[in-house]
Amino acid sequence: MPIIIIDRLPLPNFKTYVALSVGLFSIALYHGLNATNDPGWKSSLLEATKDMNNSLPLLSNASRNEYFSESKFRELVLYMLEDSLCFWGFINGAYCFLVVLAKCIQLIFVGDLRSIEVQHLKDKFYTFVFYKFIFIFGIINVQFIDEVLFWLIWFSIIGFLQLVSQLCRDRFEYLSQSPVFLKWNHSYLIALLGIVSSISCSLFVTCLGAGATSNGYSAFTFMIAECVLLILKLSHTIIRYCFYLYDTWTGLATPSGAAGASGPSESLWKRRGPAAYYVEFGFDLAGLVIESVHYAHMLVWVWANMFLSVASFMICMQLKVLYQEIMLKLEKHKKYRRVLEFMEKNYPKATAQDLAENSDKCPICWEVMESARKLPCSHLFHSVCLQSWLEQDTSCPTCRLSLNIHNMGSSTSPDSMDPDLNPPRGRQPNHFFHFDGSRYISWLPSFSVEVTHGQFIRTGELIRDTSQLDSMARQVQQMFPHFPVSVITEDLHTTRSIELTIENILDGTLVLPPQLVIIDDETPGTSNTEGSSSNENSSTRLNTENQEVDDQELVEQNIEEKFSKSSEDREKILSCRRDRLLREARRKYLDKLAASNSQGNSASQAGKSDLADKSDNLSENLANKSSPESLANRSDSETSSSELNRGDQIEC
Amino acid sequence: MAGSALRRLMAEYKQLTINPPEGIIAGPVNEENFFEWEALITGPEGTCFEGGVFPAKLTFPSDYPLSPPKMQFTCDMFHPNKPNDESGANVDAAKMWREDREEFNKKANKLVRRTLGLD
């Protein structure tokens, strides 16, 4: 919500903001210069400098001279810090500098931002500002402008670094999805990552140093926590980057030769899979734990220093969200361990004979299997692939045989099936609802509800509300009035989705009770559907015949179809093929139109016949179209199609 | 992880290019993002959508073979199973398909012509 409101505010764009800030800063500077030339202010300052001189007796002569030569500048700075108007001009100037710096970084290292990156940065920025505002005024409860200034500077730096690290992460994810290794983009990104992490590390060291000398213990801990979180995030990205680079070097991530991946890749995957998982898990958990400790510390600080306030409520909300996330992570990890154990115990490694018989590739990743695990239904998969699948679904990916992992703790016999969980249906649907509250208000929780048949963790309640079911049934009945509500509701009980029920009806899986069919036959509507079904049958027969002919054509075409190694060529070939398909379809359509026009005329001359009664919907439709207008169209388009053919020869 | 999804997608793309199914062309139009594909699907013969070439956008998740891709037609579509703005299915289309087949076919034919760039 706050983000939407801020988005609608008429914020100045980058150029006007910079121009305004520079203007403001120069006005402040001019004002300061004028004021410092005024002798009255100078005399008061002189006393101050004298004091300062006394307080710096150890300064050597040389540095003292330097000090005096810079005194004009110092005067100015001192004045500007004193005067409130100049002070704000100064602050704004500093922020403007940060904005310009950010723009430079973007232009040099990243280039154009993608919309998702902009969205992430915006979200991050506004939540950061929101929470740090609360932190400064609600938790630390600053009293003096000096303190505000100190925290402002600190959070500006930390926030800036966090935003840049977020950008690095997003960009890395984007680049790692590209099939080609963009050398320059990667080197720029690595350079940026290096710079940001070195700055963060030096910030951390400075913090440690400052914390050791100062006596503000709590403030120091807050700062350290922020630093550690930032560094953790950066190193996570860096380690992921290392994995990616390692993959690329060993030829894993470059999928040019994908389908025929060679031997060593698989063993690499096996070693890498768990390592990558544990790195991910470790970093996520560490980040969450540190963050919650950070917030708990804030809570303790608030309670120690003042009475309960709104801020402590906000912290509690945040802590709750963090706790839930940690539990979710742990739950997921438990599942991971459980699935791994179960798999190793129950699914034996495929023998060499099995592998030889199924010389196929792994159905999940489409790569050659050197070793595999065998399911009870004797389907083979890579160990790693199978594991990641079983974490989200407990049926065989190929044949959908329920594997019943949820009983594994109590009994290992796989035949104790729960009839409720395995309804006698052809498919077992997965429904996934996701609500991400943090997209609207940052502290709203996000949750997912997954309804699966044969799932070990049920995260949500099924739809129990009968009124909801009724409304769904009514919606379906609107489309298929000849189906009684009771039948539809029954099906909805099992599918829990309008689309699936409709699909069942269209597929013919959901059949009417016999007496209803008889009643329905008397209504004129059904003769229509019957006719269409017979039409469909004949058309499918036709289709299969056509396919056989087309297959032969395809074999001839295959010689032309090439799969280039360079992505540019592939893009070109793809667009060429798309054009060709469209052109051919257009030509075919126009040819058919012309043919059916002549046929339609002859049919109308011959009068009513049995054939015309049963004629295809399409040809009827086309016959209807045989008006003078379409005839004119035809001659037009015939010429255009021949032109297009010529274009075809030139382009492809 | 993205790496395995990418390799699988590349393998599928290769399959689709070398051995294309009849009347369907699919692939990443801009290979900078390999997880966004565009497909052209020819209306099956013997249906009212025959001859049309319907463009669709496919979006693959980063854990691709484990979670399904999303597909959306980028042209106007009028089909009982194609969701429209309000609900998961097109109620109007289903109603028309049942009650006024001729009108439905006319509408479908119009769409076919539009996808071919003839209207």
Side-chain angles (χ1 to χ4, degrees):
Chain A
M1 278 288 274
I3 293 163
I4 297 166
I5 296 165
I6 291 168
D7 265 345
R8 283 188 188 153
L9 286 179
L11 284 173
N13 68 4
F14 176 69
K15 272 180 193 160
T16 40
Y17 175 66
V18 170
L20 275 175
S21 314
V22 168
L24 206 66
F25 188 67
S26 42
I27 288 171
L29 208 65
Y30 179 71
H31 179 66
L33 273 174
N34 264 354
T36 44
N37 284 336
D38 181 29
W41 188 81
K42 211 168 193 174
S43 62
S44 69
L45 187 85
L46 274 177
E47 282 167 27
T49 43
K50 248 178 210 165
D51 287 348
M52 274 172 105
N53 280 339
N54 292 337
S55 67
L56 300 167
L58 292 175
L59 275 172
S60 66
N61 262 348
S63 64
R64 195 176 287 207
N65 284 343
E66 207 176 276
Y67 178 81
F68 276 111
S69 68
E70 282 177 4
S71 69
K72 180 72 187 164
F73 177 71
R74 292 234 160 198
E75 267 175 33
L76 191 66
V77 172
L78 267 177
Y79 177 79
M80 284 180 73
L81 287 179
E82 293 286 310
D83 188 89
S84 69
L85 193 95
C86 287
F87 175 71
W88 288 115
F90 201 69
I91 296 274
N92 186 50
Y95 276 108
C96 180
F97 172 71
L98 265 190
V99 171
V100 172
L101 189 66
K103 192 84 185 168
C104 288
I105 287 177
Q106 187 224 315
L107 285 179
I108 294 170
F109 291 103
V110 202
D112 285 337
L113 294 181
R114 292 175 311 126
S115 58
I116 184 131
E117 286 166 349
V118 173
Q119 192 56 44
H120 279 172
L121 287 180
K122 261 188 191 165
D123 285 353
K124 188 115 192 152
F125 176 71
Y126 290 129
T127 36
F128 188 82
V129 168
F130 179 67
Y131 276 106
K132 297 318 163 191
F133 185 81
I134 287 177
F135 180 77
I136 294 176
F137 295 104
I139 295 162
I140 296 285
N141 201 16
V142 284
Q143 308 291 342
F144 306 104
I145 192 83
D146 296 4
E147 274 182 87
V148 176
L149 195 63
F150 168 74
W151 284 113
L152 208 62
I153 292 170
W154 167 253
F155 282 131
S156 303
I157 295 170
I158 280 285
F160 187 75
L161 290 174
Q162 278 198 358
L163 288 184
V164 176
S165 68
Q166 174 72 39
L167 180 61
C168 284
R169 187 191 202 137
D170 280 346
R171 188 42 69 103
F172 158 66
E173 268 164 20
Y174 176 62
L175 285 180
S176 69
Q177 288 189 352
S178 162
V180 275
F181 189 78
L182 302 159
K183 215 174 186 179
W184 281 110
N185 295 15
H186 278 290
S187 40
Y188 276 128
L189 195 59
I190 290 169
L192 183 60
L193 259 175
I195 292 168
V196 174
S197 25
S198 57
I199 291 174
S200 318
C201 286
S202 54
L203 206 63
F204 180 68
V205 172
T206 325
C207 265
L208 274 183
T213 52
S214 76
N215 34 10
Y217 168 72
S218 269
F220 159 71
T221 332
F222 287 140
M223 289 164 75
I224 286 291
E226 299 266 1
C227 266
V228 169
L229 279 175
L230 179 63
I231 289 173
L232 208 65
K233 201 171 156 193
L234 277 166
S235 39
H236 186 194
T237 312
I238 288 171
I239 287 182
R240 279 176 68 190
Y241 219 123
C242 290
F243 269 124
Y244 171 72
L245 289 178
Y246 179 69
D247 281 358
T248 317
W249 263 313
T250 50
L252 263 174
T254 46
S256 314
S262 51
S265 65
E266 201 205 320
S267 58
L268 264 176
W269 263 111
K270 253 193 245 148
R271 262 186 289 144
R272 187 191 171 291
Y277 173 78
Y278 277 107
V279 165
E280 199 88 352
F281 177 68
F283 269 106
D284 284 348
L285 203 64
L288 284 172
V289 167
I290 289 174
E291 214 177 334
S292 36
V293 168
H294 182 47
Y295 278 106
H297 179 206
M298 276 188 212
L299 203 62
V300 170
W301 164 273
V302 171
W303 280 339
N305 284 280
M306 57 184 119
F307 295 113
L308 280 177
S309 67
V310 183
S312 56
F313 171 72
M314 304 279 295
I315 297 171
C316 284
M317 290 291 289
Q318 192 71 28
L319 269 176
K320 190 180 156 227
V321 170
L322 283 171
Y323 171 75
Q324 279 170 344
E325 267 179 52
I326 289 176
M327 290 326 276
L328 212 70
K329 279 263 141 61
L330 289 177
E331 190 72 38
K332 242 183 165 174
H333 179 64
K334 249 197 240 159
K335 199 159 116 184
Y336 173 88
R337 297 284 325 160
R338 225 163 17 159
V339 167
L340 193 66
E341 244 170 60
F342 181 78
M343 219 172 67
E344 275 169 2
K345 208 160 58 184
N346 290 35
Y347 303 139
K349 290 235 171 205
T351 55
Q353 196 193 343
D354 282 332
L355 283 170
E357 276 170 20
N358 301 280
S359 57
D360 250 0
K361 286 156 186 161
C362 167
I364 294 177
C365 66
W366 283 26
E367 274 163 46
V368 179
M369 287 188 285
E370 304 229 309
S371 71
R373 287 197 184 271
K374 192 175 172 185
L375 290 183
C377 49
S378 72
H379 288 116
L380 303 182
F381 303 94
H382 277 137
S383 215
V384 181
C385 299
L386 183 62
Q387 189 189 348
S388 43
W389 169 258
L390 288 179
E391 273 168 47
Q392 62 165 34
D393 200 294
T394 55
S395 58
C396 168
T398 306
C399 67
R400 293 281 169 176
L401 175 81
S402 178
L403 298 170
N404 233 37
I405 294 188
H406 43 277
N407 291 344
M408 66 198 171
S410 50
S411 68
T412 41
S413 63
D415 44 19
S416 59
M417 289 208 186
D418 191 342
D420 277 346
L421 294 175
N422 298 293
R425 300 208 67 80
R427 81 185 100 218
Q428 299 194 329
N430 272 14
H431 300 227
F432 192 70
F433 307 103
H434 183 69
F435 171 74
D436 191 2
S438 57
R439 280 187 57 191
Y440 308 103
I441 301 173
S442 52
W443 41 264
L444 263 183
S446 41
F447 62 88
S448 326
V449 180
E450 196 172 8
V451 185
T452 321
H453 296 281
Q455 179 82 7
F456 18 79
I457 300 171
R458 287 179 171 251
T459 13
E461 276 277 303
L462 298 175
I463 313 161
R464 296 240 179 274
D465 198 3
T466 44
S467 68
Q468 205 173 340
L469 263 181
D470 278 347
S471 73
M472 282 159 80
R474 245 176 281 125
Q475 232 176 318
V476 177
Q477 214 215 358
Q478 230 183 331
M479 300 165 72
F480 303 99
H482 58 293
F483 273 88
V485 182
S486 58
V487 176
I488 294 169
T489 318
E490 210 173 292
D491 192 60
L492 277 172
H493 262 299
T494 45
T495 58
R496 311 224 162 250
S497 136
I498 297 179
E499 292 105 85
L500 283 173
T501 301
I502 292 169
E503 232 167 272
N504 283 340
I505 292 173
L506 290 178
D507 288 352
T509 326
L510 187 66
V511 281
L512 282 171
Q515 71 271 31
L516 282 167
V517 178
I518 295 160
I519 295 163
D520 244 310
D521 256 347
E522 287 161 16
T523 62
T526 40
S527 62
N528 199 356
T529 50
E530 261 185 20
S532 82
S533 70
S534 70
N535 273 339
E536 266 165 27
N537 280 340
S538 62
S539 70
T540 46
R541 231 181 297 126
L542 254 173
N543 259 347
T544 48
E545 279 168 22
N546 277 345
Q547 216 130 36
E548 280 168 23
V549 179
D550 287 338
D551 278 348
Q552 285 176 348
E553 282 174 15
L554 273 178
V555 174
E556 286 163 14
Q557 269 183 15
N558 276 349
I559 307 156
E560 290 174 32
E561 309 284 5
K562 272 182 253 161
F563 194 71
S564 170
K565 288 228 168 188
S566 104
S567 74
E568 266 179 45
D569 284 354
R570 282 195 301 255
E571 279 174 22
K572 228 178 269 168
I573 289 172
L574 181 69
S575 74
C576 227
R577 285 175 58 209
R578 289 164 63 98
D579 287 349
R580 197 166 59 196
L581 178 77
L582 200 61
R583 251 182 264 127
E584 261 165 33
R586 207 176 288 160
R587 204 193 51 220
K588 235 188 232 171
Y589 179 82
L590 291 169
D591 286 352
K592 202 153 198 174
L593 196 68
S596 73
N597 272 342
S598 53
Q599 201 182 46
N601 286 338
S602 64
S604 63
Q605 279 165 8
K608 238 185 180 179
S609 71
D610 283 344
L611 216 135
D613 264 354
K614 274 199 164 186
S615 78
D616 214 356
N617 283 320
L618 185 92
S619 62
E620 239 176 58
N621 197 22
L622 289 172
N624 286 342
K625 280 235 151 193
S626 61
S627 55
E629 166 214 328
S630 74
L631 278 172
N633 243 348
R634 194 187 79 203
S635 56
D636 257 333
S637 38
E638 262 174 4
T639 52
S640 72
S641 72
S642 60
E643 274 169 25
L644 286 167
N645 275 336
R646 240 177 291 136
D648 193 7
Q649 284 169 351
I650 294 161
E651 272 183 34
C652 300
Chain B
M1 284 227 183
S4 66
L6 194 60
R7 277 175 302 141
R8 158 92 189 230
L9 280 177
M10 187 59 95
E12 287 197 39
Y13 184 30
K14 194 173 179 179
Q15 271 293 316
L16 280 173
T17 311
I18 293 175
N19 212 347
E22 172 66 12
I24 291 178
I25 287 180
V29 172
N30 179 3
E31 287 210 11
E32 243 181 59
N33 187 357
F34 213 82
F35 288 70
E36 288 263 329
W37 285 26
E38 272 180 41
L40 290 180
I41 299 169
T42 315
E45 275 176 52
T47 68
C48 53
F49 295 106
E50 175 174 343
V53 176
F54 301 95
K57 201 178 80 182
L58 283 152
T59 312
F60 293 92
S62 60
D63 59 342
Y64 162 54
L66 301 179
S67 345
K70 287 198 186 84
M71 184 178 125
Q72 197 172 18
F73 281 106
T74 46
C75 60
D76 283 339
M77 216 16 177
F78 193 69
H79 189 278
N81 273 349
K82 155 78 181 39
N84 59 0
D85 300 334
E86 300 100 56
S87 67
N90 195 336
V91 181
D92 294 339
K95 216 171 174 181
M96 197 185 280
W97 184 80
R98 246 194 70 76
E99 287 166 7
D100 194 351
R101 187 66 60 82
E102 213 163 275
E103 183 65 29
F104 184 89
N105 288 340
K106 238 184 218 170
K107 213 159 176 173
N109 190 44
K110 215 175 207 173
L111 284 176
V112 167
R113 290 181 67 88
R114 204 179 298 159
T115 59
L116 294 174
L118 295 175
D119 270 343

